[in-house]
Amino acid sequence: MTTATTDERALAELQREHGPALLHFLLGLTFGDRQRAEDLMQETLVRAWQHPEAFDAPYESMRPWLFTVARRLAIDARRSRLARPTEVSDVVLESAPARENTADSAVRALDVRRAVRTLSPEHRAVLVQIYFRGLSVGETAEVLGIPAGTVKSRSYYALRTLSRSLSGYSSSSSSSSRASRQTASATST
């Protein structure tokens, strides 16, 4: 069983007469993306080829029908692109930061854990509350039942002791501080 399609000459005439205007219209809908506009134009012409009854409609021109089909195809294509996850190009992958070596991270965590164990229980408790549980000085003072000034003093001396025992690590390294937070939370539980 064959389906009726539009005559090739009628389709060629349609493209010749309305093609430039249709492409210009689609360029506007695709924000100047010529490749997408040409793909949508081709799909619009395929729809015209598949629907010969559109040529028999009582229009003076096929342009309104073509533009309606093209607009709907552009909307569908945009919705389809937005529904899918964005595609990642090689440029994005090359500029992504490399994953940290897990062996280095494990060694750092062991070093921090060892250093935190050298702190007195009072100093360790203050650091756990402030840096690992995210409490303020006042909240830490309330939880531990000590004055706020004592919390400040103990955190200062605890951090100073840690920086001396971890002198091989940069104090500005965010990964070291992240590892120390993870380790201290592991030692406090």
PDB file of all heavy atoms in Angstrom, residues 119-137 140-141 143-144 146-159:
ATOM      1  N   LEU A 119      45.580  16.638  70.658  1.00  0.00           N
ATOM      2  CA  LEU A 119      44.946  17.745  71.381  1.00  0.00           C
ATOM      3  C   LEU A 119      44.316  17.235  72.668  1.00  0.00           C
ATOM      4  O   LEU A 119      43.905  16.079  72.764  1.00  0.00           O
ATOM      5  CB  LEU A 119      43.863  18.394  70.522  1.00  0.00           C
ATOM      6  CG  LEU A 119      44.295  19.068  69.228  1.00  0.00           C
ATOM      7  CD1 LEU A 119      43.072  19.530  68.445  1.00  0.00           C
ATOM      8  CD2 LEU A 119      45.227  20.239  69.498  1.00  0.00           C
ATOM      9  N   SER A 120      44.210  18.143  73.614  1.00  0.00           N
ATOM     10  CA  SER A 120      43.511  17.772  74.855  1.00  0.00           C
ATOM     11  C   SER A 120      42.031  17.593  74.534  1.00  0.00           C
ATOM     12  O   SER A 120      41.525  18.164  73.552  1.00  0.00           O
ATOM     13  CB  SER A 120      43.694  18.868  75.907  1.00  0.00           C
ATOM     14  OG  SER A 120      42.958  20.016  75.515  1.00  0.00           O
ATOM     15  N   PRO A 121      41.309  16.824  75.343  1.00  0.00           N
ATOM     16  CA  PRO A 121      39.876  16.623  75.091  1.00  0.00           C
ATOM     17  C   PRO A 121      39.094  17.942  75.057  1.00  0.00           C
ATOM     18  O   PRO A 121      38.150  18.089  74.279  1.00  0.00           O
ATOM     19  CB  PRO A 121      39.419  15.736  76.254  1.00  0.00           C
ATOM     20  CG  PRO A 121      40.664  15.058  76.735  1.00  0.00           C
ATOM     21  CD  PRO A 121      41.785  16.002  76.456  1.00  0.00           C
ATOM     22  N   GLU A 122      39.486  18.907  75.856  1.00  0.00           N
ATOM     23  CA  GLU A 122      38.800  20.200  75.890  1.00  0.00           C
ATOM     24  C   GLU A 122      38.979  20.951  74.565  1.00  0.00           C
ATOM     25  O   GLU A 122      38.032  21.511  74.021  1.00  0.00           O
ATOM     26  CB  GLU A 122      39.320  21.068  77.058  1.00  0.00           C
ATOM     27  CG  GLU A 122      39.019  20.523  78.435  1.00  0.00           C
ATOM     28  CD  GLU A 122      40.029  19.471  78.902  1.00  0.00           C
ATOM     29  OE1 GLU A 122      41.119  19.345  78.298  1.00  0.00           O
ATOM     30  OE2 GLU A 122      39.716  18.756  79.868  1.00  0.00           O
ATOM     31  N   HIS A 123      40.221  20.975  74.090  1.00  0.00           N
ATOM     32  CA  HIS A 123      40.499  21.660  72.818  1.00  0.00           C
ATOM     33  C   HIS A 123      39.797  20.955  71.657  1.00  0.00           C
ATOM     34  O   HIS A 123      39.224  21.589  70.783  1.00  0.00           O
ATOM     35  CB  HIS A 123      42.014  21.738  72.566  1.00  0.00           C
ATOM     36  CG  HIS A 123      42.702  22.708  73.446  1.00  0.00           C
ATOM     37  ND1 HIS A 123      43.449  22.314  74.513  1.00  0.00           N
ATOM     38  CD2 HIS A 123      42.747  24.068  73.429  1.00  0.00           C
ATOM     39  CE1 HIS A 123      43.946  23.369  75.125  1.00  0.00           C
ATOM     40  NE2 HIS A 123      43.533  24.460  74.493  1.00  0.00           N
ATOM     41  N   ARG A 124      39.856  19.635  71.650  1.00  0.00           N
ATOM     42  CA  ARG A 124      39.220  18.855  70.593  1.00  0.00           C
ATOM     43  C   ARG A 124      37.702  19.095  70.589  1.00  0.00           C
ATOM     44  O   ARG A 124      37.084  19.273  69.547  1.00  0.00           O
ATOM     45  CB  ARG A 124      39.547  17.372  70.760  1.00  0.00           C
ATOM     46  CG  ARG A 124      39.060  16.526  69.609  1.00  0.00           C
ATOM     47  CD  ARG A 124      39.557  15.077  69.623  1.00  0.00           C
ATOM     48  NE  ARG A 124      39.555  14.441  70.926  1.00  0.00           N
ATOM     49  CZ  ARG A 124      40.659  14.029  71.561  1.00  0.00           C
ATOM     50  NH1 ARG A 124      41.835  14.191  71.011  1.00  0.00           N
ATOM     51  NH2 ARG A 124      40.580  13.456  72.749  1.00  0.00           N
ATOM     52  N   ALA A 125      37.092  19.147  71.764  1.00  0.00           N
ATOM     53  CA  ALA A 125      35.642  19.360  71.864  1.00  0.00           C
ATOM     54  C   ALA A 125      35.243  20.712  71.276  1.00  0.00           C
ATOM     55  O   ALA A 125      34.226  20.824  70.578  1.00  0.00           O
ATOM     56  CB  ALA A 125      35.194  19.259  73.321  1.00  0.00           C
ATOM     57  N   VAL A 126      36.043  21.732  71.538  1.00  0.00           N
ATOM     58  CA  VAL A 126      35.744  23.064  70.994  1.00  0.00           C
ATOM     59  C   VAL A 126      35.835  23.047  69.470  1.00  0.00           C
ATOM     60  O   VAL A 126      34.954  23.575  68.777  1.00  0.00           O
ATOM     61  CB  VAL A 126      36.692  24.131  71.611  1.00  0.00           C
ATOM     62  CG1 VAL A 126      36.609  25.432  70.840  1.00  0.00           C
ATOM     63  CG2 VAL A 126      36.364  24.355  73.077  1.00  0.00           C
ATOM     64  N   LEU A 127      36.885  22.445  68.926  1.00  0.00           N
ATOM     65  CA  LEU A 127      37.034  22.397  67.463  1.00  0.00           C
ATOM     66  C   LEU A 127      35.898  21.623  66.809  1.00  0.00           C
ATOM     67  O   LEU A 127      35.383  22.019  65.755  1.00  0.00           O
ATOM     68  CB  LEU A 127      38.375  21.760  67.076  1.00  0.00           C
ATOM     69  CG  LEU A 127      39.624  22.588  67.321  1.00  0.00           C
ATOM     70  CD1 LEU A 127      40.851  21.862  66.769  1.00  0.00           C
ATOM     71  CD2 LEU A 127      39.517  23.966  66.717  1.00  0.00           C
ATOM     72  N   VAL A 128      35.503  20.531  67.410  1.00  0.00           N
ATOM     73  CA  VAL A 128      34.411  19.732  66.849  1.00  0.00           C
ATOM     74  C   VAL A 128      33.132  20.564  66.786  1.00  0.00           C
ATOM     75  O   VAL A 128      32.428  20.571  65.778  1.00  0.00           O
ATOM     76  CB  VAL A 128      34.197  18.435  67.671  1.00  0.00           C
ATOM     77  CG1 VAL A 128      32.881  17.773  67.326  1.00  0.00           C
ATOM     78  CG2 VAL A 128      35.357  17.473  67.429  1.00  0.00           C
ATOM     79  N   GLN A 129      32.839  21.271  67.869  1.00  0.00           N
ATOM     80  CA  GLN A 129      31.603  22.065  67.897  1.00  0.00           C
ATOM     81  C   GLN A 129      31.642  23.222  66.894  1.00  0.00           C
ATOM     82  O   GLN A 129      30.673  23.464  66.169  1.00  0.00           O
ATOM     83  CB  GLN A 129      31.349  22.629  69.310  1.00  0.00           C
ATOM     84  CG  GLN A 129      31.126  21.581  70.365  1.00  0.00           C
ATOM     85  CD  GLN A 129      29.928  20.695  70.078  1.00  0.00           C
ATOM     86  OE1 GLN A 129      28.908  21.152  69.581  1.00  0.00           O
ATOM     87  NE2 GLN A 129      30.063  19.410  70.372  1.00  0.00           N
ATOM     88  N   ILE A 130      32.754  23.931  66.819  1.00  0.00           N
ATOM     89  CA  ILE A 130      32.823  25.112  65.948  1.00  0.00           C
ATOM     90  C   ILE A 130      33.009  24.741  64.485  1.00  0.00           C
ATOM     91  O   ILE A 130      32.270  25.203  63.624  1.00  0.00           O
ATOM     92  CB  ILE A 130      33.969  26.051  66.411  1.00  0.00           C
ATOM     93  CG1 ILE A 130      33.614  26.669  67.762  1.00  0.00           C
ATOM     94  CG2 ILE A 130      34.212  27.150  65.380  1.00  0.00           C
ATOM     95  CD1 ILE A 130      34.700  27.537  68.341  1.00  0.00           C
ATOM     96  N   TYR A 131      33.994  23.901  64.183  1.00  0.00           N
ATOM     97  CA  TYR A 131      34.355  23.659  62.786  1.00  0.00           C
ATOM     98  C   TYR A 131      33.619  22.497  62.130  1.00  0.00           C
ATOM     99  O   TYR A 131      33.450  22.484  60.927  1.00  0.00           O
ATOM    100  CB  TYR A 131      35.869  23.461  62.664  1.00  0.00           C
ATOM    101  CG  TYR A 131      36.608  24.738  62.953  1.00  0.00           C
ATOM    102  CD1 TYR A 131      37.197  24.959  64.187  1.00  0.00           C
ATOM    103  CD2 TYR A 131      36.677  25.753  62.002  1.00  0.00           C
ATOM    104  CE1 TYR A 131      37.858  26.148  64.464  1.00  0.00           C
ATOM    105  CE2 TYR A 131      37.330  26.931  62.270  1.00  0.00           C
ATOM    106  CZ  TYR A 131      37.913  27.132  63.497  1.00  0.00           C
ATOM    107  OH  TYR A 131      38.539  28.307  63.765  1.00  0.00           O
ATOM    108  N   PHE A 132      33.189  21.536  62.913  1.00  0.00           N
ATOM    109  CA  PHE A 132      32.598  20.356  62.293  1.00  0.00           C
ATOM    110  C   PHE A 132      31.093  20.276  62.473  1.00  0.00           C
ATOM    111  O   PHE A 132      30.413  19.636  61.704  1.00  0.00           O
ATOM    112  CB  PHE A 132      33.291  19.091  62.787  1.00  0.00           C
ATOM    113  CG  PHE A 132      34.776  19.166  62.569  1.00  0.00           C
ATOM    114  CD1 PHE A 132      35.638  19.280  63.627  1.00  0.00           C
ATOM    115  CD2 PHE A 132      35.290  19.176  61.284  1.00  0.00           C
ATOM    116  CE1 PHE A 132      37.003  19.381  63.416  1.00  0.00           C
ATOM    117  CE2 PHE A 132      36.648  19.276  61.066  1.00  0.00           C
ATOM    118  CZ  PHE A 132      37.512  19.378  62.135  1.00  0.00           C
ATOM    119  N   ARG A 133      30.598  20.913  63.494  1.00  0.00           N
ATOM    120  CA  ARG A 133      29.142  20.964  63.681  1.00  0.00           C
ATOM    121  C   ARG A 133      28.596  22.329  63.310  1.00  0.00           C
ATOM    122  O   ARG A 133      27.395  22.524  63.283  1.00  0.00           O
ATOM    123  CB  ARG A 133      28.781  20.590  65.114  1.00  0.00           C
ATOM    124  CG  ARG A 133      29.138  19.140  65.401  1.00  0.00           C
ATOM    125  CD  ARG A 133      28.369  18.550  66.544  1.00  0.00           C
ATOM    126  NE  ARG A 133      28.703  17.132  66.655  1.00  0.00           N
ATOM    127  CZ  ARG A 133      29.140  16.571  67.756  1.00  0.00           C
ATOM    128  NH1 ARG A 133      29.268  17.271  68.850  1.00  0.00           N
ATOM    129  NH2 ARG A 133      29.423  15.282  67.766  1.00  0.00           N
ATOM    130  N   GLY A 134      29.476  23.289  63.053  1.00  0.00           N
ATOM    131  CA  GLY A 134      29.066  24.595  62.548  1.00  0.00           C
ATOM    132  C   GLY A 134      28.410  25.502  63.575  1.00  0.00           C
ATOM    133  O   GLY A 134      27.689  26.426  63.213  1.00  0.00           O
ATOM    134  N   LEU A 135      28.684  25.291  64.845  1.00  0.00           N
ATOM    135  CA  LEU A 135      28.082  26.132  65.876  1.00  0.00           C
ATOM    136  C   LEU A 135      28.867  27.433  66.026  1.00  0.00           C
ATOM    137  O   LEU A 135      30.064  27.495  65.748  1.00  0.00           O
ATOM    138  CB  LEU A 135      28.062  25.387  67.217  1.00  0.00           C
ATOM    139  CG  LEU A 135      27.249  24.086  67.280  1.00  0.00           C
ATOM    140  CD1 LEU A 135      27.299  23.514  68.695  1.00  0.00           C
ATOM    141  CD2 LEU A 135      25.817  24.313  66.855  1.00  0.00           C
ATOM    142  N   SER A 136      28.196  28.449  66.478  1.00  0.00           N
ATOM    143  CA  SER A 136      28.859  29.729  66.755  1.00  0.00           C
ATOM    144  C   SER A 136      29.598  29.611  68.081  1.00  0.00           C
ATOM    145  O   SER A 136      29.454  28.631  68.824  1.00  0.00           O
ATOM    146  CB  SER A 136      27.826  30.847  66.834  1.00  0.00           C
ATOM    147  OG  SER A 136      27.012  30.669  67.981  1.00  0.00           O
ATOM    148  N   VAL A 137      30.368  30.646  68.413  1.00  0.00           N
ATOM    149  CA  VAL A 137      31.092  30.652  69.675  1.00  0.00           C
ATOM    150  C   VAL A 137      30.107  30.602  70.841  1.00  0.00           C
ATOM    151  O   VAL A 137      30.282  29.842  71.799  1.00  0.00           O
ATOM    152  CB  VAL A 137      32.002  31.903  69.765  1.00  0.00           C
ATOM    153  CG1 VAL A 137      32.586  32.055  71.164  1.00  0.00           C
ATOM    154  CG2 VAL A 137      33.117  31.824  68.739  1.00  0.00           C
ATOM    155  N   THR A 140      28.541  27.140  71.072  1.00  0.00           N
ATOM    156  CA  THR A 140      29.527  26.192  71.582  1.00  0.00           C
ATOM    157  C   THR A 140      29.687  26.364  73.086  1.00  0.00           C
ATOM    158  O   THR A 140      29.757  25.379  73.835  1.00  0.00           O
ATOM    159  CB  THR A 140      30.883  26.374  70.867  1.00  0.00           C
ATOM    160  OG1 THR A 140      30.688  26.160  69.476  1.00  0.00           O
ATOM    161  CG2 THR A 140      31.935  25.421  71.390  1.00  0.00           C
ATOM    162  N   ALA A 141      29.734  27.608  73.535  1.00  0.00           N
ATOM    163  CA  ALA A 141      29.857  27.885  74.970  1.00  0.00           C
ATOM    164  C   ALA A 141      28.677  27.288  75.725  1.00  0.00           C
ATOM    165  O   ALA A 141      28.844  26.686  76.796  1.00  0.00           O
ATOM    166  CB  ALA A 141      29.952  29.383  75.210  1.00  0.00           C
ATOM    167  N   VAL A 143      26.691  24.746  74.715  1.00  0.00           N
ATOM    168  CA  VAL A 143      26.715  23.280  74.651  1.00  0.00           C
ATOM    169  C   VAL A 143      27.746  22.703  75.621  1.00  0.00           C
ATOM    170  O   VAL A 143      27.488  21.721  76.312  1.00  0.00           O
ATOM    171  CB  VAL A 143      27.008  22.800  73.200  1.00  0.00           C
ATOM    172  CG1 VAL A 143      27.365  21.330  73.159  1.00  0.00           C
ATOM    173  CG2 VAL A 143      25.829  23.091  72.304  1.00  0.00           C
ATOM    174  N   LEU A 144      28.931  23.326  75.675  1.00  0.00           N
ATOM    175  CA  LEU A 144      30.003  22.792  76.517  1.00  0.00           C
ATOM    176  C   LEU A 144      29.926  23.303  77.955  1.00  0.00           C
ATOM    177  O   LEU A 144      30.660  22.821  78.829  1.00  0.00           O
ATOM    178  CB  LEU A 144      31.369  23.139  75.910  1.00  0.00           C
ATOM    179  CG  LEU A 144      31.664  22.523  74.536  1.00  0.00           C
ATOM    180  CD1 LEU A 144      33.004  22.993  74.011  1.00  0.00           C
ATOM    181  CD2 LEU A 144      31.619  21.009  74.608  1.00  0.00           C
ATOM    182  N   ILE A 146      30.790  26.358  79.095  1.00  0.00           N
ATOM    183  CA  ILE A 146      31.949  27.193  79.437  1.00  0.00           C
ATOM    184  C   ILE A 146      31.729  28.597  78.885  1.00  0.00           C
ATOM    185  O   ILE A 146      30.902  28.796  77.995  1.00  0.00           O
ATOM    186  CB  ILE A 146      33.261  26.582  78.876  1.00  0.00           C
ATOM    187  CG1 ILE A 146      33.156  26.397  77.345  1.00  0.00           C
ATOM    188  CG2 ILE A 146      33.587  25.266  79.554  1.00  0.00           C
ATOM    189  CD1 ILE A 146      34.425  25.881  76.691  1.00  0.00           C
ATOM    190  N   PRO A 147      32.463  29.585  79.380  1.00  0.00           N
ATOM    191  CA  PRO A 147      32.300  30.954  78.876  1.00  0.00           C
ATOM    192  C   PRO A 147      32.749  31.079  77.413  1.00  0.00           C
ATOM    193  O   PRO A 147      33.605  30.327  76.935  1.00  0.00           O
ATOM    194  CB  PRO A 147      33.189  31.799  79.786  1.00  0.00           C
ATOM    195  CG  PRO A 147      33.493  30.949  80.967  1.00  0.00           C
ATOM    196  CD  PRO A 147      33.361  29.529  80.523  1.00  0.00           C
ATOM    197  N   ALA A 148      32.194  32.057  76.700  1.00  0.00           N
ATOM    198  CA  ALA A 148      32.536  32.292  75.287  1.00  0.00           C
ATOM    199  C   ALA A 148      34.015  32.622  75.122  1.00  0.00           C
ATOM    200  O   ALA A 148      34.659  32.197  74.148  1.00  0.00           O
ATOM    201  CB  ALA A 148      31.671  33.402  74.717  1.00  0.00           C
ATOM    202  N   GLY A 149      34.592  33.361  76.050  1.00  0.00           N
ATOM    203  CA  GLY A 149      36.016  33.686  75.982  1.00  0.00           C
ATOM    204  C   GLY A 149      36.878  32.436  76.041  1.00  0.00           C
ATOM    205  O   GLY A 149      37.915  32.336  75.374  1.00  0.00           O
ATOM    206  N   THR A 150      36.469  31.474  76.826  1.00  0.00           N
ATOM    207  CA  THR A 150      37.205  30.205  76.928  1.00  0.00           C
ATOM    208  C   THR A 150      37.117  29.438  75.609  1.00  0.00           C
ATOM    209  O   THR A 150      38.099  28.827  75.169  1.00  0.00           O
ATOM    210  CB  THR A 150      36.655  29.360  78.090  1.00  0.00           C
ATOM    211  OG1 THR A 150      36.714  30.132  79.290  1.00  0.00           O
ATOM    212  CG2 THR A 150      37.449  28.080  78.271  1.00  0.00           C
ATOM    213  N   VAL A 151      35.946  29.496  74.967  1.00  0.00           N
ATOM    214  CA  VAL A 151      35.784  28.834  73.671  1.00  0.00           C
ATOM    215  C   VAL A 151      36.743  29.454  72.656  1.00  0.00           C
ATOM    216  O   VAL A 151      37.446  28.739  71.924  1.00  0.00           O
ATOM    217  CB  VAL A 151      34.321  28.945  73.173  1.00  0.00           C
ATOM    218  CG1 VAL A 151      34.205  28.484  71.727  1.00  0.00           C
ATOM    219  CG2 VAL A 151      33.393  28.156  74.063  1.00  0.00           C
ATOM    220  N   LYS A 152      36.817  30.776  72.627  1.00  0.00           N
ATOM    221  CA  LYS A 152      37.725  31.470  71.696  1.00  0.00           C
ATOM    222  C   LYS A 152      39.177  31.109  71.972  1.00  0.00           C
ATOM    223  O   LYS A 152      39.957  30.830  71.053  1.00  0.00           O
ATOM    224  CB  LYS A 152      37.539  32.981  71.805  1.00  0.00           C
ATOM    225  CG  LYS A 152      36.226  33.473  71.290  1.00  0.00           C
ATOM    226  CD  LYS A 152      36.121  34.980  71.486  1.00  0.00           C
ATOM    227  CE  LYS A 152      34.757  35.504  71.122  1.00  0.00           C
ATOM    228  NZ  LYS A 152      34.646  36.954  71.354  1.00  0.00           N
ATOM    229  N   SER A 153      39.545  31.112  73.222  1.00  0.00           N
ATOM    230  CA  SER A 153      40.919  30.815  73.602  1.00  0.00           C
ATOM    231  C   SER A 153      41.291  29.381  73.242  1.00  0.00           C
ATOM    232  O   SER A 153      42.344  29.125  72.649  1.00  0.00           O
ATOM    233  CB  SER A 153      41.081  31.042  75.110  1.00  0.00           C
ATOM    234  OG  SER A 153      42.347  30.611  75.541  1.00  0.00           O
ATOM    235  N   ARG A 154      40.407  28.438  73.571  1.00  0.00           N
ATOM    236  CA  ARG A 154      40.705  27.027  73.277  1.00  0.00           C
ATOM    237  C   ARG A 154      40.774  26.775  71.766  1.00  0.00           C
ATOM    238  O   ARG A 154      41.626  26.007  71.312  1.00  0.00           O
ATOM    239  CB  ARG A 154      39.660  26.124  73.909  1.00  0.00           C
ATOM    240  CG  ARG A 154      39.814  25.994  75.400  1.00  0.00           C
ATOM    241  CD  ARG A 154      38.800  25.066  75.993  1.00  0.00           C
ATOM    242  NE  ARG A 154      38.914  25.023  77.445  1.00  0.00           N
ATOM    243  CZ  ARG A 154      38.071  24.395  78.239  1.00  0.00           C
ATOM    244  NH1 ARG A 154      37.048  23.719  77.731  1.00  0.00           N
ATOM    245  NH2 ARG A 154      38.237  24.415  79.540  1.00  0.00           N
ATOM    246  N   SER A 155      39.900  27.412  70.999  1.00  0.00           N
ATOM    247  CA  SER A 155      39.956  27.201  69.543  1.00  0.00           C
ATOM    248  C   SER A 155      41.238  27.785  68.962  1.00  0.00           C
ATOM    249  O   SER A 155      41.862  27.182  68.088  1.00  0.00           O
ATOM    250  CB  SER A 155      38.727  27.796  68.859  1.00  0.00           C
ATOM    251  OG  SER A 155      38.723  29.197  68.956  1.00  0.00           O
ATOM    252  N   TYR A 156      41.665  28.937  69.485  1.00  0.00           N
ATOM    253  CA  TYR A 156      42.905  29.554  69.002  1.00  0.00           C
ATOM    254  C   TYR A 156      44.098  28.632  69.264  1.00  0.00           C
ATOM    255  O   TYR A 156      44.888  28.341  68.371  1.00  0.00           O
ATOM    256  CB  TYR A 156      43.117  30.913  69.689  1.00  0.00           C
ATOM    257  CG  TYR A 156      44.470  31.495  69.424  1.00  0.00           C
ATOM    258  CD1 TYR A 156      44.744  32.142  68.216  1.00  0.00           C
ATOM    259  CD2 TYR A 156      45.492  31.384  70.359  1.00  0.00           C
ATOM    260  CE1 TYR A 156      46.010  32.664  67.959  1.00  0.00           C
ATOM    261  CE2 TYR A 156      46.755  31.908  70.121  1.00  0.00           C
ATOM    262  CZ  TYR A 156      46.999  32.540  68.912  1.00  0.00           C
ATOM    263  OH  TYR A 156      48.252  33.062  68.660  1.00  0.00           O
ATOM    264  N   TYR A 157      44.217  28.164  70.500  1.00  0.00           N
ATOM    265  CA  TYR A 157      45.368  27.327  70.852  1.00  0.00           C
ATOM    266  C   TYR A 157      45.304  25.953  70.182  1.00  0.00           C
ATOM    267  O   TYR A 157      46.336  25.386  69.820  1.00  0.00           O
ATOM    268  CB  TYR A 157      45.502  27.203  72.368  1.00  0.00           C
ATOM    269  CG  TYR A 157      46.016  28.495  72.987  1.00  0.00           C
ATOM    270  CD1 TYR A 157      45.188  29.292  73.752  1.00  0.00           C
ATOM    271  CD2 TYR A 157      47.326  28.918  72.763  1.00  0.00           C
ATOM    272  CE1 TYR A 157      45.645  30.487  74.297  1.00  0.00           C
ATOM    273  CE2 TYR A 157      47.792  30.112  73.286  1.00  0.00           C
ATOM    274  CZ  TYR A 157      46.951  30.890  74.056  1.00  0.00           C
ATOM    275  OH  TYR A 157      47.420  32.075  74.574  1.00  0.00           O
ATOM    276  N   ALA A 158      44.104  25.428  69.996  1.00  0.00           N
ATOM    277  CA  ALA A 158      43.973  24.130  69.317  1.00  0.00           C
ATOM    278  C   ALA A 158      44.408  24.253  67.861  1.00  0.00           C
ATOM    279  O   ALA A 158      45.152  23.395  67.350  1.00  0.00           O
ATOM    280  CB  ALA A 158      42.536  23.639  69.404  1.00  0.00           C
ATOM    281  N   LEU A 159      43.982  25.305  67.192  1.00  0.00           N
ATOM    282  CA  LEU A 159      44.379  25.501  65.790  1.00  0.00           C
ATOM    283  C   LEU A 159      45.870  25.759  65.665  1.00  0.00           C
ATOM    284  O   LEU A 159      46.518  25.295  64.722  1.00  0.00           O
ATOM    285  CB  LEU A 159      43.576  26.652  65.174  1.00  0.00           C
ATOM    286  CG  LEU A 159      42.093  26.379  64.948  1.00  0.00           C
ATOM    287  CD1 LEU A 159      41.383  27.639  64.464  1.00  0.00           C
ATOM    288  CD2 LEU A 159      41.897  25.249  63.952  1.00  0.00           C
TER     289      LEU A 159
END
